[in-house]
Amino acid sequence: MDPPGADAYWNRETSKHGEGYSGKIVKEAKIVCLSDPDDKDNEPLYQGGDNLPEGSSVLAVGATLEDFDLEALKEAQPNVVFVSHPKARGPLPDLLEALPSVNWVHARSAGVDFLTSDKLSSITAQNNVTVTNAKGCFSSTLGEYTMMACSYFAKDLPRLLKNKKAKDWDRYDVLELRGATMGIIGYGDIGRACAKLADAYGMDVLALRRNTKKSLYDPYVKEVFGLDRLNELMSKSDYILVAAPLTEDTKGLVSAEAISHSKDGSVIINVGRGPIIDEEALIAALQDGTLKGAAMDVTTIEPLPKESPLWELENVLLSPHNMDKTATFAKEATEMYLYENVPRYVRGKTLLNPVDVKAGY
């Protein structure tokens, strides 16, 4: 492997397959897939043969620990686990415990909250297992959704649709996005993709992140805030975008107190994870007018329960956690793993998209 400190990340908009690695094969990638065997988006991986990069092979595919012949796998000495099954949190650390030869785990998703646990943190640290993800594969479409959500409220799209249905030629004032402020909570790959589009619209962008130094010279950002300035960001933002990963530190981060500091007429947009926002406090703020509106692609419980007030509130735009779900998004994520990180692994190069399992992203 290359020396640590040279972290690199995949970006769907700017990265190109095959760039950034070269050289001879120095080891095999013997892959175990903790995945649904019927997942069509993994077919290039499952089919093997010429579909796989040189030096790699798939030893087994299964969704649970019971699906694998662990004794046979121990003899084969696998060193890579590819994870795409949504219920992998339980079996993954047990699989790593049973197969100590594994030194790399890759998740076919940007969020790893469906995997993380104290046991996983312990076993990956103990066995020196590198973990990577599919960061950068889903950001552009979430940026598009974010700008659509801003326009939805700025131009009052519900009123337009209502007037059209009523055949009512009702002319009214609209808001510009140009000159408005977008505050982004969680300025990673998704947050930056949204900032890029917001900047193109002429918006001012405020970014809140744990490590402020990483964005000090970002051309899309007017000011970078540490986590201790969340209330200040809320008070200055017309559109508050939640794009953070779900971790112990971010769960409930957008609390009732934070929402109480929000600017009059502001809108919250959540493309991160539902539990980052105190949903009861959010609903109360939407009902009493503290917030103008909310666009929610994620909710605390998914699917959203029928009895949730979010269904009935007219100032809420809801989507079923599908604003990054293009027809090819999962297949592209598998291809990024297959044609970018596997070739790097067999050449001993630095892998793209390293994850800090303990931090949760």
Side-chain angles (χ1 to χ4, degrees), residues 100-144:
S101 54
V102 171
N103 56 29
W104 173 32
V105 171
H106 180 86
R108 192 196 68 180
S109 61
V112 294
D113 49 287
F114 76 105
L115 291 179
T116 51
S117 65
D118 290 341
K119 188 173 183 180
L120 183 64
S121 295
S122 176
I123 194 85
T124 52
Q126 177 184 322
N127 292 3
N128 197 27
V129 177
T130 297
V131 179
T132 59
N133 66 359
K135 177 179 179 176
C137 291
F138 316 105
S139 307
S140 56
T141 184
L142 290 175
E144 293 170 5

Short mmCIF file of all heavy atoms in Angstrom, two decimals, residues 100-144:
data_model
loop_
_atom_site.label_atom_id
_atom_site.label_comp_id
_atom_site.label_asym_id
_atom_site.label_seq_id
_atom_site.Cartn_x
_atom_site.Cartn_y
_atom_site.Cartn_z
N PRO A 100 -9.89 -14.18 9.39
CA PRO A 100 -8.89 -13.15 9.77
C PRO A 100 -7.94 -12.77 8.65
O PRO A 100 -7.18 -11.80 8.79
CB PRO A 100 -8.13 -13.82 10.93
CG PRO A 100 -8.34 -15.29 10.74
CD PRO A 100 -9.71 -15.43 10.14
N SER A 101 -7.99 -13.48 7.52
CA SER A 101 -7.14 -13.12 6.38
C SER A 101 -7.65 -11.89 5.64
O SER A 101 -6.92 -11.28 4.84
CB SER A 101 -7.07 -14.30 5.40
OG SER A 101 -8.37 -14.73 5.01
N VAL A 102 -8.91 -11.47 5.92
CA VAL A 102 -9.48 -10.29 5.24
C VAL A 102 -8.82 -9.02 5.75
O VAL A 102 -8.72 -8.80 6.96
CB VAL A 102 -11.01 -10.22 5.46
CG1 VAL A 102 -11.58 -8.89 4.94
CG2 VAL A 102 -11.70 -11.40 4.78
N ASN A 103 -8.37 -8.17 4.83
CA ASN A 103 -7.77 -6.89 5.24
C ASN A 103 -8.40 -5.69 4.54
O ASN A 103 -7.89 -4.57 4.66
CB ASN A 103 -6.26 -6.91 5.02
CG ASN A 103 -5.87 -7.23 3.59
OD1 ASN A 103 -6.59 -6.93 2.64
ND2 ASN A 103 -4.71 -7.86 3.42
N TRP A 104 -9.48 -5.93 3.79
CA TRP A 104 -10.18 -4.80 3.14
C TRP A 104 -11.67 -5.11 3.04
O TRP A 104 -12.06 -6.19 2.59
CB TRP A 104 -9.60 -4.54 1.74
CG TRP A 104 -10.34 -3.52 0.93
CD1 TRP A 104 -11.02 -2.41 1.38
CD2 TRP A 104 -10.50 -3.51 -0.50
NE1 TRP A 104 -11.57 -1.72 0.34
CE2 TRP A 104 -11.27 -2.36 -0.83
CE3 TRP A 104 -10.06 -4.35 -1.53
CZ2 TRP A 104 -11.61 -2.06 -2.14
CZ3 TRP A 104 -10.40 -4.04 -2.83
CH2 TRP A 104 -11.18 -2.90 -3.13
N VAL A 105 -12.48 -4.16 3.46
CA VAL A 105 -13.95 -4.23 3.32
C VAL A 105 -14.40 -3.01 2.54
O VAL A 105 -14.02 -1.88 2.86
CB VAL A 105 -14.64 -4.25 4.70
CG1 VAL A 105 -16.16 -4.10 4.54
CG2 VAL A 105 -14.32 -5.52 5.46
N HIS A 106 -15.23 -3.24 1.52
CA HIS A 106 -15.79 -2.13 0.74
C HIS A 106 -17.30 -2.17 0.80
O HIS A 106 -17.93 -3.21 0.59
CB HIS A 106 -15.35 -2.22 -0.73
CG HIS A 106 -15.90 -1.09 -1.57
ND1 HIS A 106 -15.27 0.14 -1.67
CD2 HIS A 106 -17.05 -0.99 -2.30
CE1 HIS A 106 -15.97 0.93 -2.45
NE2 HIS A 106 -17.07 0.27 -2.84
N ALA A 107 -17.92 -1.02 1.10
CA ALA A 107 -19.38 -0.89 1.15
C ALA A 107 -19.87 -0.21 -0.12
O ALA A 107 -19.36 0.85 -0.50
CB ALA A 107 -19.81 -0.07 2.36
N ARG A 108 -20.88 -0.82 -0.78
CA ARG A 108 -21.45 -0.23 -2.00
C ARG A 108 -22.49 0.82 -1.63
O ARG A 108 -23.64 0.80 -2.07
CB ARG A 108 -22.08 -1.33 -2.87
CG ARG A 108 -22.44 -0.85 -4.28
CD ARG A 108 -23.39 -1.82 -4.97
NE ARG A 108 -24.72 -1.85 -4.35
CZ ARG A 108 -25.72 -2.63 -4.77
NH1 ARG A 108 -25.54 -3.47 -5.77
NH2 ARG A 108 -26.88 -2.60 -4.15
N SER A 109 -22.10 1.76 -0.84
CA SER A 109 -22.98 2.87 -0.43
C SER A 109 -22.08 3.97 0.10
O SER A 109 -20.91 3.74 0.43
CB SER A 109 -23.95 2.41 0.67
OG SER A 109 -23.23 1.98 1.81
N ALA A 110 -22.63 5.17 0.16
CA ALA A 110 -21.86 6.27 0.73
C ALA A 110 -21.99 6.26 2.25
O ALA A 110 -21.00 6.38 2.97
CB ALA A 110 -22.34 7.60 0.15
N GLY A 111 -23.22 6.08 2.75
CA GLY A 111 -23.43 5.97 4.18
C GLY A 111 -23.04 4.59 4.67
O GLY A 111 -23.31 3.58 4.01
N VAL A 112 -22.41 4.53 5.83
CA VAL A 112 -22.04 3.23 6.41
C VAL A 112 -22.72 3.01 7.76
O VAL A 112 -22.35 2.10 8.50
CB VAL A 112 -20.51 3.10 6.55
CG1 VAL A 112 -19.82 3.07 5.20
CG2 VAL A 112 -19.93 4.21 7.43
N ASP A 113 -23.75 3.80 8.06
CA ASP A 113 -24.45 3.65 9.32
C ASP A 113 -25.16 2.29 9.43
O ASP A 113 -25.45 1.83 10.52
CB ASP A 113 -25.45 4.79 9.54
CG ASP A 113 -26.35 5.02 8.34
OD1 ASP A 113 -25.85 5.57 7.33
OD2 ASP A 113 -27.54 4.66 8.39
N PHE A 114 -25.44 1.64 8.28
CA PHE A 114 -26.07 0.33 8.30
C PHE A 114 -25.08 -0.78 8.64
O PHE A 114 -25.46 -1.93 8.84
CB PHE A 114 -26.74 0.04 6.94
CG PHE A 114 -25.80 -0.35 5.83
CD1 PHE A 114 -25.69 -1.66 5.40
CD2 PHE A 114 -24.99 0.61 5.22
CE1 PHE A 114 -24.82 -2.01 4.38
CE2 PHE A 114 -24.13 0.28 4.20
CZ PHE A 114 -24.04 -1.04 3.78
N LEU A 115 -23.79 -0.42 8.73
CA LEU A 115 -22.73 -1.38 9.03
C LEU A 115 -22.10 -1.18 10.39
O LEU A 115 -21.68 -2.14 11.05
CB LEU A 115 -21.61 -1.29 7.99
CG LEU A 115 -21.87 -1.74 6.57
CD1 LEU A 115 -20.62 -1.52 5.72
CD2 LEU A 115 -22.27 -3.20 6.54
N THR A 116 -21.98 0.06 10.82
CA THR A 116 -21.13 0.38 11.96
C THR A 116 -21.68 -0.19 13.27
O THR A 116 -22.88 -0.25 13.50
CB THR A 116 -20.97 1.90 12.10
OG1 THR A 116 -22.25 2.52 12.09
CG2 THR A 116 -20.12 2.47 10.97
N SER A 117 -20.75 -0.63 14.10
CA SER A 117 -21.07 -1.14 15.43
C SER A 117 -19.76 -1.16 16.21
O SER A 117 -18.67 -1.07 15.64
CB SER A 117 -21.65 -2.56 15.35
OG SER A 117 -20.67 -3.47 14.86
N ASP A 118 -19.88 -1.28 17.53
CA ASP A 118 -18.66 -1.37 18.36
C ASP A 118 -17.85 -2.60 17.98
O ASP A 118 -16.61 -2.56 17.96
CB ASP A 118 -19.05 -1.43 19.84
CG ASP A 118 -19.60 -0.10 20.35
OD1 ASP A 118 -19.35 0.93 19.69
OD2 ASP A 118 -20.28 -0.11 21.39
N LYS A 119 -18.55 -3.68 17.66
CA LYS A 119 -17.85 -4.92 17.31
C LYS A 119 -17.08 -4.76 16.01
O LYS A 119 -15.94 -5.24 15.89
CB LYS A 119 -18.85 -6.07 17.20
CG LYS A 119 -18.17 -7.43 17.03
CD LYS A 119 -19.17 -8.57 17.11
CE LYS A 119 -18.46 -9.92 17.01
NZ LYS A 119 -19.41 -11.06 17.09
N LEU A 120 -17.69 -4.06 15.03
CA LEU A 120 -16.99 -3.84 13.76
C LEU A 120 -15.77 -2.95 13.97
O LEU A 120 -14.70 -3.20 13.42
CB LEU A 120 -17.92 -3.22 12.72
CG LEU A 120 -17.31 -3.00 11.34
CD1 LEU A 120 -16.94 -4.33 10.70
CD2 LEU A 120 -18.26 -2.22 10.44
N SER A 121 -15.93 -1.91 14.77
CA SER A 121 -14.79 -1.02 15.07
C SER A 121 -13.65 -1.80 15.70
O SER A 121 -12.48 -1.62 15.35
CB SER A 121 -15.22 0.10 16.01
OG SER A 121 -16.17 0.95 15.40
N SER A 122 -14.00 -2.68 16.62
CA SER A 122 -12.99 -3.46 17.33
C SER A 122 -12.27 -4.43 16.40
O SER A 122 -11.03 -4.49 16.39
CB SER A 122 -13.66 -4.23 18.48
OG SER A 122 -12.73 -5.06 19.13
N ILE A 123 -13.03 -5.18 15.60
CA ILE A 123 -12.42 -6.21 14.75
C ILE A 123 -11.60 -5.60 13.61
O ILE A 123 -10.55 -6.11 13.24
CB ILE A 123 -13.48 -7.19 14.20
CG1 ILE A 123 -12.82 -8.44 13.62
CG2 ILE A 123 -14.37 -6.56 13.17
CD1 ILE A 123 -12.52 -9.50 14.61
N THR A 124 -12.06 -4.47 13.05
CA THR A 124 -11.29 -3.84 11.97
C THR A 124 -9.99 -3.24 12.51
O THR A 124 -8.95 -3.28 11.85
CB THR A 124 -12.12 -2.76 11.25
OG1 THR A 124 -12.66 -1.83 12.21
CG2 THR A 124 -13.26 -3.37 10.45
N ALA A 125 -10.04 -2.70 13.74
CA ALA A 125 -8.83 -2.15 14.35
C ALA A 125 -7.86 -3.29 14.71
O ALA A 125 -6.66 -3.20 14.45
CB ALA A 125 -9.18 -1.34 15.58
N GLN A 126 -8.41 -4.34 15.28
CA GLN A 126 -7.59 -5.47 15.72
C GLN A 126 -6.91 -6.17 14.54
O GLN A 126 -5.73 -6.54 14.63
CB GLN A 126 -8.49 -6.46 16.46
CG GLN A 126 -7.80 -7.73 16.93
CD GLN A 126 -8.79 -8.69 17.57
OE1 GLN A 126 -9.71 -8.29 18.28
NE2 GLN A 126 -8.62 -9.98 17.31
N ASN A 127 -7.64 -6.33 13.44
CA ASN A 127 -7.11 -7.06 12.27
C ASN A 127 -6.51 -6.14 11.22
O ASN A 127 -6.15 -6.60 10.13
CB ASN A 127 -8.20 -7.92 11.64
CG ASN A 127 -8.62 -9.08 12.53
OD1 ASN A 127 -8.13 -9.22 13.64
ND2 ASN A 127 -9.52 -9.91 12.04
N ASN A 128 -6.47 -4.83 11.53
CA ASN A 128 -5.91 -3.85 10.59
C ASN A 128 -6.62 -3.90 9.24
O ASN A 128 -5.99 -4.00 8.18
CB ASN A 128 -4.41 -4.07 10.42
CG ASN A 128 -3.72 -2.87 9.80
OD1 ASN A 128 -4.19 -1.73 9.94
ND2 ASN A 128 -2.63 -3.10 9.10
N VAL A 129 -7.96 -3.84 9.29
CA VAL A 129 -8.78 -3.93 8.08
C VAL A 129 -9.10 -2.52 7.57
O VAL A 129 -9.61 -1.68 8.32
CB VAL A 129 -10.11 -4.67 8.37
CG1 VAL A 129 -11.00 -4.70 7.13
CG2 VAL A 129 -9.82 -6.10 8.85
N THR A 130 -8.79 -2.28 6.32
CA THR A 130 -9.15 -1.02 5.68
C THR A 130 -10.61 -1.08 5.23
O THR A 130 -11.06 -2.10 4.69
CB THR A 130 -8.26 -0.77 4.45
OG1 THR A 130 -6.90 -0.65 4.87
CG2 THR A 130 -8.68 0.50 3.70
N VAL A 131 -11.36 0.00 5.46
CA VAL A 131 -12.76 0.06 5.03
C VAL A 131 -12.91 1.24 4.06
O VAL A 131 -12.40 2.33 4.31
CB VAL A 131 -13.72 0.24 6.23
CG1 VAL A 131 -15.17 0.32 5.75
CG2 VAL A 131 -13.56 -0.92 7.20
N THR A 132 -13.58 0.99 2.95
CA THR A 132 -13.86 2.05 1.96
C THR A 132 -15.34 2.02 1.61
O THR A 132 -16.07 1.08 1.94
CB THR A 132 -13.02 1.85 0.68
OG1 THR A 132 -13.32 0.56 0.11
CG2 THR A 132 -11.53 1.94 0.96
N ASN A 133 -15.79 3.08 0.92
CA ASN A 133 -17.21 3.15 0.54
C ASN A 133 -17.36 3.73 -0.87
O ASN A 133 -16.39 3.93 -1.59
CB ASN A 133 -18.00 3.98 1.56
CG ASN A 133 -17.60 5.45 1.60
OD1 ASN A 133 -16.70 5.89 0.87
ND2 ASN A 133 -18.25 6.22 2.46
N ALA A 134 -18.61 4.00 -1.24
CA ALA A 134 -18.91 4.48 -2.59
C ALA A 134 -19.17 5.98 -2.62
O ALA A 134 -19.92 6.47 -3.47
CB ALA A 134 -20.10 3.72 -3.17
N LYS A 135 -18.55 6.68 -1.71
CA LYS A 135 -18.66 8.14 -1.70
C LYS A 135 -18.35 8.72 -3.07
O LYS A 135 -17.44 8.28 -3.76
CB LYS A 135 -17.65 8.69 -0.67
CG LYS A 135 -17.58 10.20 -0.58
CD LYS A 135 -16.57 10.59 0.48
CE LYS A 135 -16.44 12.09 0.61
NZ LYS A 135 -15.53 12.49 1.70
N GLY A 136 -19.15 9.70 -3.49
CA GLY A 136 -18.91 10.34 -4.78
C GLY A 136 -19.75 9.78 -5.91
O GLY A 136 -19.78 10.37 -6.99
N CYS A 137 -20.44 8.66 -5.66
CA CYS A 137 -21.27 8.06 -6.72
C CYS A 137 -22.68 8.62 -6.76
O CYS A 137 -23.40 8.43 -7.75
CB CYS A 137 -21.34 6.55 -6.53
SG CYS A 137 -19.79 5.68 -6.84
N PHE A 138 -23.11 9.29 -5.69
CA PHE A 138 -24.52 9.67 -5.56
C PHE A 138 -24.74 11.17 -5.41
O PHE A 138 -25.88 11.63 -5.31
CB PHE A 138 -25.13 8.96 -4.35
CG PHE A 138 -24.76 7.52 -4.25
CD1 PHE A 138 -23.84 7.09 -3.32
CD2 PHE A 138 -25.32 6.58 -5.09
CE1 PHE A 138 -23.48 5.75 -3.22
CE2 PHE A 138 -24.98 5.24 -5.01
CZ PHE A 138 -24.06 4.83 -4.07
N SER A 139 -23.67 11.94 -5.40
CA SER A 139 -23.76 13.34 -4.98
C SER A 139 -24.46 14.25 -5.98
O SER A 139 -25.22 15.14 -5.60
CB SER A 139 -22.36 13.88 -4.70
OG SER A 139 -21.68 13.05 -3.79
N SER A 140 -24.21 14.05 -7.27
CA SER A 140 -24.71 15.00 -8.26
C SER A 140 -26.24 15.05 -8.30
O SER A 140 -26.84 16.12 -8.37
CB SER A 140 -24.16 14.68 -9.64
OG SER A 140 -24.44 13.35 -10.01
N THR A 141 -26.90 13.89 -8.23
CA THR A 141 -28.36 13.90 -8.27
C THR A 141 -28.95 14.49 -7.00
O THR A 141 -30.03 15.10 -7.04
CB THR A 141 -28.91 12.48 -8.54
OG1 THR A 141 -30.32 12.54 -8.68
CG2 THR A 141 -28.56 11.52 -7.42
N LEU A 142 -28.27 14.33 -5.87
CA LEU A 142 -28.76 14.96 -4.63
C LEU A 142 -28.58 16.47 -4.68
O LEU A 142 -29.37 17.22 -4.11
CB LEU A 142 -28.03 14.37 -3.42
CG LEU A 142 -28.42 12.92 -3.10
CD1 LEU A 142 -27.55 12.37 -1.97
CD2 LEU A 142 -29.89 12.80 -2.75
N GLY A 143 -27.54 16.93 -5.38
CA GLY A 143 -27.39 18.37 -5.61
C GLY A 143 -28.54 18.92 -6.43
O GLY A 143 -29.10 19.99 -6.14
N GLU A 144 -28.93 18.18 -7.46
CA GLU A 144 -30.06 18.60 -8.30
C GLU A 144 -31.35 18.65 -7.49
O GLU A 144 -32.16 19.58 -7.61
CB GLU A 144 -30.21 17.63 -9.48
CG GLU A 144 -29.06 17.69 -10.47
CD GLU A 144 -29.11 16.56 -11.48
OE1 GLU A 144 -30.11 15.79 -11.47
OE2 GLU A 144 -28.18 16.44 -12.29
#
